[in-house]
């Protein structure tokens, strides 16, 4: 161990430049923990930056939060200590405040947030568009059965397009002129059971859907001029579809319902399933590149291009973090355990590689930091029934829908 038996050399580092202090090594006692480190950092801030108000920090060593003494943490994580140890500090997260409660007529089964817009889908077969301030803009009819997933395709100044998938075995793409109505542009037919999940690729040209029929299907989005698989669609269920499309590719391999779908790069798709597996597919070849096997059914999945990692929601009440780049025995990086019922949904932050949220049947939404698997950073407890969906609107707002017919908006005072 660097220094004497009771001393260790550390370097205090942070990505929050407003709190950056000198990075010269410090010699500290190995018995100290986060409380003492917090005192040291605040003293340095008073001396170097004239910050007089006490700031509360968390501390991370080798991508794991410090909950014990330095000695215990080093022993638990088997950190090599023949050198100076970097101790990263970051301001403690302040729990968000409840901003709005958006009332629907039925269970809120899915939500997608983008820019200043929130798109929700319900078990009464309707779609809704809201502003981030909670104003209801539009209710949309068209599906014959409950909506299971939604996704934005494009958002610009004069037109918005998005997709919805349903238990009626179809996907529908919509154009909204941001005025009075949203018009369907295409219907996507080919699944033989409820469509449970949808994802748009990064250049908005392809769409992937997963279904209870165990198949993954890939389709062209309306942004494409492809004509070969379109044909007129007659008036039906109060909606006149201009064109119908069939899949350009059907991929089989799951043994039970596909619950989550996410594009992870230009040609890769990650899926979760009730068959206890997560699969990474080559969308061009249609084969499995990697597979992770869990203990129970997976209900949702998300991929972060910032962290290059996958998180999953499972029936065993856990959230798991996978790194697809790792070798076979090291792909499972962490398990996050404190929900008491099925975890139904997970979503990465789009601006912070360490943060994600999870929602569960215990009526709770949790914020997690990947460096802190032992406990969530905070819980949102305003929901009165099981949480079915969640998303990030931006760095300050999270949205979550539940079986008490509400969508809740929670806001951080600071950006994360």
């Amino acid at each position: 161990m660097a220094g004497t038996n009771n001393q260790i050399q550390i370097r205090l580092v942070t990505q929050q430049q407003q709190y950056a202090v000198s990075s010269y090594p410090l010699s500290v006692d190995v018995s100290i923990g986060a409380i003492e480190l917090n005192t040291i950092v605040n003293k340095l801030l008073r001396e170097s930056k004239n910050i007089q108000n006490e700031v509360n920090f968390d501390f991370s060593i080798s991508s794991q939060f410090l909950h014990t003494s330095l000695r215990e943490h080093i022993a638990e994580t088997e950190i090599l200590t023949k050198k100076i140890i970097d101790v990263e500090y970051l301001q403690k997260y302040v729990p968000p405040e409840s901003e709005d409660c958006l009332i629907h007529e039925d269970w809120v089964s899915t939500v997608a947030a983008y820019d200043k817009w929130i798109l929700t889908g319900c078990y009464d077969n309707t779609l809704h568009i809201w502003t981030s301030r909670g104003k209801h803009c539009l209710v949309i009819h068209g599906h014959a059965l409950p909506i299971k997933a939604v996704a934005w395709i494009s958002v610009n100044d004069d037109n918005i397009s998005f997709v919805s998938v349903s238990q009626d075995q179809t996907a529908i793409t919509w154009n909204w002129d941001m005025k009075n109505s949203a018009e369907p542009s295409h219907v996507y037919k080919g699944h033989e059971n409820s469509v449970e999940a949808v994802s748009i690729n990064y250049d908005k040209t392809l769409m992937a859907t997963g279904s209870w029929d165990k198949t993954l299907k890939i389709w062209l989005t309306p942004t494409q001029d492809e004509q070969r698989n379109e044909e007129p669609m007659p008036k039906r269920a109060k909606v006149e579809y201009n064109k119908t499309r069939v899949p350009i590719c059907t991929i089989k391999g799951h043994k039970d319902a596909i619950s989550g779908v996410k594009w992870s790069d230009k040609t890769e798709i990650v899926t979760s399933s009730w068959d206890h597996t997560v699969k990474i597919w080559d969308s061009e070849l249609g084969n499995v590149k990697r597979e992770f096997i869990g203990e129970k059914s997976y209900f949702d999945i998300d991929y972060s291009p910032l962290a290059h990692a996958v998180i999953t929601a499972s029936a065993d009440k856990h959230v798991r973090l996978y790194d697809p780049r790792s070798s076979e025995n090291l792909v499972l990086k962490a398990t996050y355990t404190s929900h008491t019922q099925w975890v139904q949904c997970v979503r990465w932050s789009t601006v912070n590689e360490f943060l994600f949220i999870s929602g569960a049947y215990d009526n709770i939404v949790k914020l997690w930091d990947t460096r802190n698997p032992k406990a969530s950073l905070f819980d949102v407890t305003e929901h009165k029934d099981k949480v079915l969906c969640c998303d990030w609107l931006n760095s300050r707002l999270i949205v979550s829908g539940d079986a008490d017919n509400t969508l809740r908006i929670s806001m951080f005072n600071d950006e994360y």
Side-chain angles (χ1 to χ4, degrees):
M1 182 175 291
T4 68
N5 289 337
N6 294 318
Q7 296 286 309
I8 192 170
Q9 295 285 314
I10 67 169
R11 181 187 294 111
L12 294 168
V13 296
T14 184
Q15 297 183 32
Q16 298 173 315
Q17 290 305 308
Q18 69 272 32
Y19 298 127
V21 298
S22 171
S23 59
Y24 288 115
L26 300 174
S27 182
V28 298
D29 196 284
V30 293
S31 65
I32 70 171
I35 294 176
E36 293 82 5
L37 287 170
N38 202 76
T39 300
I40 293 172
V41 173
N42 275 279
K43 180 181 178 181
L44 293 172
L45 288 174
R46 285 193 295 272
E47 294 173 351
S48 62
K49 291 185 175 291
N50 197 31
I51 297 177
Q52 300 302 316
N53 294 329
E54 190 81 4
V55 182
N56 291 318
F57 294 101
D58 280 316
F59 297 86
S60 171
I61 302 175
S62 295
S63 297
Q64 292 193 34
F65 272 33
L66 179 67
H67 293 286
T68 60
S69 68
L70 289 174
R71 177 189 286 113
E72 293 172 294
H73 187 88
I74 291 168
E76 288 178 2
T77 55
E78 300 180 349
I79 298 171
L80 297 176
T81 56
K82 294 181 179 180
K83 58 180 180 180
I84 299 169
I85 294 178
D86 284 340
V87 178
E88 182 180 358
Y89 59 99
L90 64 156
Q91 187 178 10
K92 276 185 176 290
Y93 298 104
V94 178
E97 298 177 358
S98 181
E99 285 292 297
D100 282 296
C101 181
L102 311 184
I103 307 299
H104 297 67
E105 295 296 323
D106 209 333
W107 290 9
V108 182
S109 51
T110 180
V111 60
Y114 184 83
D115 193 20
K116 60 183 179 181
W117 306 107
I118 302 171
L119 176 64
T120 57
C122 292
Y123 268 77
D124 64 1
N125 315 344
T126 62
L127 295 159
H128 298 260
I129 299 177
W130 312 76
T131 70
S132 60
R133 297 182 177 272
K135 178 184 176 182
H136 189 241
C137 300
L138 193 65
V139 58
I140 305 166
H141 300 272
H143 282 288
L145 288 173
I147 313 297
K148 297 311 300 287
V150 292
W152 298 101
I153 299 174
S154 65
V155 177
N156 53 50
D157 292 338
D158 56 4
N159 186 268
I160 290 176
S161 63
F162 53 90
V163 60
S164 56
V165 301
S166 167
Q167 287 183 1
D168 66 13
Q169 304 180 19
T170 69
I172 300 175
T173 51
W174 305 83
N175 290 322
W176 180 41
D177 60 7
M178 303 173 66
K179 295 179 182 178
N180 299 321
S181 65
E183 298 298 329
S185 62
H186 295 79
V187 61
Y188 295 74
K189 299 180 66 179
H191 282 296
E192 298 177 357
N193 210 321
S194 173
V195 188
E196 296 290 303
V198 62
S199 180
I200 308 297
N201 71 343
Y202 293 106
D203 62 7
K204 312 300 183 183
T205 58
L206 295 174
M207 178 172 73
T209 56
S211 168
W212 267 97
D213 66 12
K214 309 174 189 177
T215 67
L216 172 69
K217 293 182 183 290
I218 301 174
W219 322 71
L220 294 169
T221 64
T223 58
Q224 298 297 89
D225 294 325
E226 178 72 23
Q227 300 292 325
R228 61 181 172 84
N229 58 356
E230 298 175 353
E231 58 187 45
M233 179 72 179
K235 188 172 182 179
R236 167 186 173 191
K238 298 182 181 180
V239 176
E240 184 174 351
Y241 302 108
N242 296 324
K243 295 174 181 177
T244 183
R245 280 186 171 167
V246 296
I248 60 173
C249 178
T250 296
I251 301 174
K252 299 180 180 180
H254 279 295
K255 297 178 181 179
D256 209 331
I258 296 176
S259 56
V261 174
K262 194 71 176 181
W263 290 88
S264 54
D265 70 11
K266 186 177 180 180
T267 61
E268 275 189 359
I269 303 173
V270 187
T271 58
S272 60
S273 172
W274 282 60
D275 66 9
H276 304 188
T277 69
V278 171
K279 297 181 188 292
I280 300 177
W281 305 86
D282 185 314
S283 65
E284 294 181 336
L285 299 178
N287 58 12
V288 176
K289 298 176 69 173
R290 296 203 70 171
E291 179 181 86
F292 316 139
I293 300 175
E295 298 178 1
K296 290 193 175 182
S297 296
Y298 291 103
F299 296 144
D300 196 18
I301 195 167
D302 199 19
Y303 174 82
S304 169
L306 299 177
H308 302 288
V310 170
I311 47 173
T312 59
S314 176
D316 64 7
K317 309 172 188 177
H318 301 329
V319 177
R320 288 178 173 81
L321 172 68
Y322 295 98
D323 185 349
R325 302 167 299 175
S326 297
S327 61
E328 193 67 34
N329 295 331
L330 298 174
V331 68
L332 177 61
K333 292 301 182 182
T335 301
Y336 303 83
T337 304
S338 68
H339 281 296
T340 59
Q341 298 291 332
W342 287 3
V343 185
Q344 182 65 25
C345 55
V346 285
R347 286 295 178 271
W348 282 102
S349 166
T350 58
V351 296
N352 188 313
E353 65 181 294
F354 300 110
L355 298 184
F356 67 88
I357 53 177
S358 61
Y361 276 28
D362 58 12
N363 309 352
I364 296 173
V365 175
K366 294 177 179 286
L367 174 72
W368 301 88
D369 189 302
T370 58
R371 298 163 293 185
N372 188 29
K374 294 185 177 181
S376 60
L377 298 177
F378 64 76
D379 296 348
V380 176
T381 59
E382 283 81 7
H383 286 286
K384 305 303 181 185
D385 209 332
K386 51 184 176 285
V387 179
L388 303 176
C389 56
C390 60
D391 202 5
W392 292 78
L393 183 58
N394 50 46
S395 60
R396 296 185 63 190
L397 293 173
I398 58 175
V399 291
S400 49
D402 64 19
D404 69 2
N405 304 356
T406 64
L407 183 87
R408 295 186 179 272
I409 302 176
S410 302
M411 185 176 75
F412 301 103
N413 289 322
D414 298 308
E415 292 191 2
Y416 295 130

